[in-house]
Amino acid sequence: MENFVFHNPVKVIFGKGQIKAVGREIPKGSRVLFAYGGGSIKKNGVHAQVVEALASAGLEFREFAGIEPNPRFETLMKAVELARAEKLDYVLAVGGGSVVDGCKLVAAAIDFAGDPWDIVCRKAAPTNAMPLGVVLTLPATGSEMNLFSVISRDETGEKLGWGHPSVMPRFSVLDPETTYSLPARQVGNGVVDAFVHVLEQYLTYPAEAPLQDRLAESVLSTLVEIGAKAMATPPDYQARANLMWCATMALNGLIGQGVPQDWATHMIGHELTALTGIDHARTLAAVWPGVVAVKRPEKRAKLLQYAARVWGLSDGDEDARIDAAVAKTRDFFESVGVPAGLGGYNLGADIPEAIARRLSERGGLPLGERGDIDADQVRRILQAA
Ligand SMILES: NC(=O)c1ccc[n+]([C@@H]2O[C@H](COP(=O)([O-])OP(=O)(O)OC[C@H]3O[C@@H](n4cnc5c(N)ncnc54)[C@H](O)[C@@H]3O)[C@@H](O)[C@H]2O)c1
């Protein structure tokens, strides 16, 4: 196991009826920017619950609507303008990963003197981020309990990830009932996103970290166990609750401490979203089969462990076990409605070259747990996918 420092100060407030805690968690006298997405929270009653919580605590607030999926820098800067004009000093993000990620940048930018894009490009760190609170409505990204944020910019066609401890939420309310209004497509995306977050931190090489391995395997096995139930209609509270907690545990830092991490699927997936608009989770299910095909020799020991412990495949020829584990993973993605591999997307033959070039030009290579995925391997991964 490698050395690590683990500090996760996010207060998680989990369960039915917990949105009212928002009024208690935000300090009295705060002036709140209440930010959300396209308005699903008005239809499912979450907006009314948040307004009630803020108003009954006597908190001043202004609303900012319209943070889109794959949040756009251009939109977020409008939220920053509103916050500056109205002297708002607490950001409340209500929505999925896009709203939470977007609000992390808003919180960092309100009192930032330079160009906030420098924060996203990692050329500058936030100096005085406003406190951030979260009401999560889509279990998937783990953004509610981590320091990461992924921002897209129209002007440059980029989608970039950044992170800073000062934008970790002060609290996150996770009420599984907020997910009842999700379309099936988004529930399936959430299952796959959480699953691949774990694979990025687990499917690398052995690091003599059996606890981290078993924590990762338990999240994977739980997702397999509850995947179909989480998709059911009418919604099953316990399945949604377990999905929500799995997604948070998949990327709150715990399972990745002291172990090598991959993230190649994500980095290539972000480029695919930037170029084609395919949903984040769908890019992961599309790219992962390519990563595992090309990096199979390097990942062999962990692939065998994954096959045995997550899929119960421990007998017979080793290569056949790995093939079966990959096939079961693909079937699992498809079982929650997310296509595995790139075959179904009808993309141009130029995509592998375009993605390899974009990553290379930005200095984003090499990738992978061994830092050995270069432009040629990116092309091969996408062709294999
Ligand atoms: N910060 C991180 O650690 C991290 C990790 C992975 C991905 N991401 C990023 O997060 C973004 C994806 O976030 P996401 O998967 O949570 O989806 P999302 O926030 O983009 O939401 C997807 C859609 O679902 C809708 N929606 C959200 N909650 C709803 C509800 N309860 N009922 C009905 N509709 C609802 C949204 O309005 C949106 O149209 C991507 O930009 C991705 O790159 C961030």
Side-chain angles (χ1 to χ4, degrees):
M1 202 189 321
E2 296 159 16
N3 291 1
F4 64 84
V5 174
F6 181 50
H7 181 217
N8 192 323
V10 180
K11 179 172 183 177
V12 173
I13 302 164
F14 192 97
K16 276 182 206 190
Q18 296 282 28
I19 293 175
K20 55 183 178 302
V22 164
R24 191 179 67 222
E25 293 301 322
I26 300 179
K28 294 260 172 286
S30 301
R31 292 176 57 77
V32 181
L33 174 68
F34 166 18
Y36 51 95
S40 63
I41 64 165
K42 289 203 169 153
K43 293 187 204 128
N44 65 11
V46 170
H47 181 274
Q49 290 183 62
V50 172
V51 168
E52 165 67 22
L54 293 170
S56 57
L59 289 158
E60 282 275 336
F61 65 93
R62 300 285 179 276
E63 295 187 31
F64 182 85
I67 299 180
E68 52 282 283
N70 305 308
R72 291 165 58 240
F73 182 74
E74 291 82 354
T75 304
L76 301 170
M77 289 308 103
K78 291 185 187 149
V80 171
E81 269 173 43
L82 172 68
R84 286 177 178 166
E86 296 281 338
K87 302 204 178 332
L88 307 179
D89 57 13
Y90 200 106
V91 180
L92 179 65
V94 182
S98 292
V99 173
V100 180
D101 281 11
C103 284
K104 286 177 177 172
L105 182 62
V106 172
I110 290 172
D111 197 35
F112 183 73
D115 177 357
W117 187 246
D118 286 348
I119 297 175
V120 180
C121 296
R122 306 185 200 197
K123 285 189 200 149
T127 41
N128 181 31
M130 295 298 142
L132 171 69
V134 169
V135 175
L136 186 72
T137 64
L138 197 173
T141 63
S143 189
E144 65 280 6
M145 202 178 174
N146 70 34
L147 52 74
F148 302 119
S149 160
V150 190
I151 306 295
S152 299
R153 187 169 192 173
D154 280 354
E155 198 185 317
T156 56
E158 286 170 296
K159 178 171 182 178
L160 301 179
W162 65 284
H164 195 268
S166 66
V167 297
M168 286 181 93
R170 301 295 167 100
F171 69 89
S172 283
V173 174
L174 276 59
D175 175 347
E177 289 188 333
T178 63
T179 73
Y180 287 4
S181 55
L182 282 170
R185 177 188 180 101
Q186 296 300 343
V187 181
N189 281 355
V191 171
V192 169
D193 199 19
F195 199 88
V196 179
H197 288 158
V198 179
L199 292 178
E200 299 272 31
Q201 300 164 85
Y202 165 78
L203 208 53
T204 56
Y205 54 82
E208 297 192 66
L211 176 60
Q212 286 89 326
D213 280 0
R214 288 195 173 86
L215 288 169
E217 287 153 0
S218 67
V219 179
L220 295 172
S221 298
T222 305
L223 286 167
V224 171
E225 187 178 312
I226 64 163
K229 285 186 216 147
M231 298 297 292
T233 44
D236 173 325
Y237 178 81
Q238 295 302 344
R240 293 294 175 95
N242 282 293
L243 170 58
M244 213 165 201
W245 191 223
C246 278
T248 302
M249 289 299 288
L251 199 51
N252 66 2
L254 182 65
I255 66 170
Q257 296 304 319
V259 296
Q261 302 194 14
D262 182 346
W263 298 105
T265 299
H266 268 75
M267 293 304 114
I268 299 170
H270 288 170
E271 296 302 324
L272 202 51
T273 297
L275 284 173
T276 66
I278 298 173
D279 295 353
H280 171 68
R282 286 170 183 255
T283 69
L284 305 181
V287 173
W288 181 80
V291 170
V292 86
V294 172
K295 303 310 288 179
R296 180 171 171 141
E298 293 86 350
K299 292 182 183 290
R300 187 176 180 84
K302 288 303 277 289
L303 276 165
L304 284 165
Q305 182 176 323
Y306 170 65
R309 294 198 187 167
V310 177
W311 298 110
L313 301 160
S314 42
D315 296 324
D317 176 69
E318 288 190 350
D319 278 301
R321 278 186 245 158
I322 294 175
D323 288 341
V326 172
K328 281 187 176 287
T329 309
R330 295 181 65 125
D331 289 350
F332 177 60
F333 294 162
E334 305 259 352
S335 77
V336 294
V338 180
L342 271 165
Y345 287 102
N346 210 8
L347 300 178
D350 55 334
I351 288 284
E353 181 54 38
I355 290 183
R357 194 180 54 246
R358 284 165 65 100
L359 281 166
S360 176
E361 284 173 358
R362 188 172 328 110
L365 298 177
L367 298 171
E369 65 271 16
R370 296 172 200 265
D372 60 357
I373 300 180
D374 58 10
D376 183 50
Q377 289 205 7
V378 169
R379 276 184 221 105
R380 284 175 49 212
I381 284 168
L382 285 160
Q383 274 146 6

